[in-house]
Amino acid sequence: MRLAAQRGISRTRRNITAFGGLDRSARAGGSRLGAMLNMTSDDAPALMSRPPRGIWAPGSAVDGVTTAGVKAYTDDEIAAAAAVNGKLCFATRKEVRADGMLMYGVQPDGQEHIRTIVPFGRNFFLVPDGLYAEKRPEKGYSAKKAGAEFFSPLAVTVNRVDINGEAVTSEACAELPASPNENDSVVLTSGDEAHEYTYTDGNWVRGRRVYPSFSAELIGEDFRVNDKVILKNVYDYDTKRTYRIIGISDNSVTVDAPYKSGTTKLRMSITRYCPVLDFAVESNNRIWGCRYGKNVFGEFVNEIYACSLGDPLSWDAFDGISSDSYAVSLGCPGGFTGAGVIDGKPVFFKEDRIITVSGTVPQNFRVDAVSGDGVENGAYNSIVNLNEELFYKSPNGINVYDGVSSRCISEAFGAERFTAGAAGAVDGKYRVVLTGRSGTSAQYVYDTRSGMWHIEDNDENARFFVNTDGFLCSVCLMSSTEVDGETVNSYMFYAHDFYATENGYNIFSDNTDGRFGFIAEPDGDFFAETREITSQNGSDAVRSVVIRAEKEKDAVLRVGIVCTDGRYHEIYCTSKDINGVFTVPANTPRCASFKLRFGGRGAVKILSVGIITEKTSEVNGFGY
């Protein structure tokens, strides 16, 4: 008997040769990833585990930070960090350490604040403490308080001097004497300026100007010539009027002000003004800052400030010249949430406003405030300049501001919502620590070249990212514990590109030592799961997959599928001995839709996946 010929099983092959990044949106295809850990876009469109990072080496240390193993310990939590001269500088509530040493001079006030270290050339400015630290050869950094003040509860002596600081011995009077003798001299104090007058040939002839020189122990220690200062309890008027210092010594201050009398009132003060700043940045050789709240005079303000050109200690110079300081009040309500710089222009954020200052000198500075997604309250550390665009966390996601408009780039996160912590950028990648509603944090990385997101470390504990001489360093808080009644904070420092570091490189100072440097971290686990891959029609089922991959020796790759019913089936695991590119077929359970899951340890790259499906019975289904 001859049987009728039967057709063979119809099989088709689909190839995934380009893997997308993280995409949790509803319409994401099977080449996109719904979950991952320790993956990177370095070799996109291949799917690759991230390269190793560098760990600050055992035995390395910095003054004030002790080490044990690879952890550094401090007695106070780090509140701010930045790169100054390419080296890591950090501040706690009570002190600042830069160039590997404790900063001397004035220290932070010890209070809890949102602190920012603003690099300024070789020096730096600390906000909101208002400290300006200058580099001293072989001595580290010395700090002065921008808002300096001298106060004396006792009466302060006022001497009469001329512009050269020479004493003027003529008697002071409010009116010229009615019956003078020839060559009599007096100092007339009734006008806006005091001058010495000499009676000659029947007329009073005005001579040199007379200035007040205030004398008290250490009265001039914190001031400089040309500082603008406010005098209190000296005159009966205008307590906010500023005067320029024209002469200085440790025990005397001479100001460009009217001379009135020989002894001031009690409780006299001399103050160099510095505004209270919420956030600050450096732009075009000025420190720019903002304030929403009470100022140093107890008045409520909504203002933006800039220091004098090249002088972070001068904030009150308004002489109509190009080097003046600057201040402007804003009309848009709400507190400031962060600050950045783009194309040399300072940018200040509120949650619903982006405020940009343009111009070259105070006379043509212009403030433009536009409505839009600003920085989310509390996400000030997420602001990063990358390729002259500002990346930041807004109330609606991760946004990019290009100087004209702001756009969201985190649609791939789907409906999930996050709060943002530290952020940094290097080599075209924006890194930000995001915490989900579950409380779990992870490091999300956006590649500006591919437009893809990837997730690196899970349970991420980075508090700051700092660019130090060509590579990105993260400052990670590992733990806080009580030891003998004192809090001890444990930190680790990572270089995000281990290959960019050199043996003996010191992230804290220029002092080289064999004990310093980074070591490669051990191989870590990675994980990636695609979005759902579906058959092209309802009666097709996956039969097998062909994996083309590359790995280093001792690395491990596991491949599995998650079927429609949620069951996981491991279909392949490599031998550690494989080194290089390899191709392997693997049979799978039969199902119409599934997810591919990759996992393992070490350096692995998925180059492509071929998915072979076959026609199944429309009656019996897939047979499992």
Side-chain angles (χ1 to χ4, degrees), residues 161-175:
V161 299
D162 63 11
I163 190 64
N164 298 315
E166 296 182 2
V168 177
T169 58
S170 302
E171 293 295 325
C173 59
E175 295 181 356

Side-chain angles (χ1 to χ4, degrees), residues 173-175 187-195 197 206 209-210 235 237 241 257-260:
C173 59
E175 295 181 356
V187 176
L188 184 62
T189 63
S190 57
D192 291 335
E193 295 180 356
H195 285 267
Y197 283 78
R206 192 173 79 169
R209 185 177 169 187
V210 178
Y235 304 111
Y237 54 86
R241 181 181 296 180
Y259 175 86
K260 292 299 181 182

Side-chain angles (χ1 to χ4, degrees), residues 402-429:
D402 59 9
V404 178
S405 60
S406 177
R407 68 186 189 279
C408 182
I409 59 170
S410 58
E411 294 90 349
F413 296 169
E416 191 168 1
R417 290 294 177 261
F418 301 91
T419 58
V426 70
D427 294 334
K429 292 184 179 182

Side-chain angles (χ1 to χ4, degrees), residues 280-393:
V281 294
E282 186 277 333
S283 174
N284 294 321
N285 208 22
R286 298 177 190 267
I287 300 292
W288 289 81
C290 57
R291 175 61 174 169
Y292 185 83
K294 290 186 177 181
N295 64 10
V296 294
F297 304 109
E299 304 163 334
F300 192 90
V301 296
N302 182 15
E303 295 179 333
I304 290 173
Y305 311 94
C307 72
S308 297
L309 185 66
D311 189 358
L313 297 181
S314 176
W315 295 83
D316 203 19
F318 301 101
D319 298 322
I321 58 178
S322 61
S323 60
D324 275 353
S325 51
Y326 178 73
V328 63
S329 294
L330 303 181
C332 51
F336 291 97
T337 54
V341 176
I342 182 171
D343 194 25
K345 302 173 184 177
V347 180
F348 299 95
F349 292 95
K350 301 188 176 189
E351 281 204 322
D352 59 352
R353 293 286 194 281
I354 304 173
I355 304 157
T356 305
V357 184
S358 57
T360 56
V361 294
Q363 289 76 14
N364 65 20
F365 285 154
R366 187 183 73 187
V367 178
D368 296 306
V370 296
S371 298
D373 283 343
V375 174
E376 186 176 49
N377 189 33
Y380 55 91
N381 259 347
S382 70
I383 305 170
V384 175
N385 185 309
L386 176 59
N387 300 332
E388 287 307 318
E389 293 183 315
L390 289 179
F391 290 68
Y392 60 89
K393 173 65 171 66

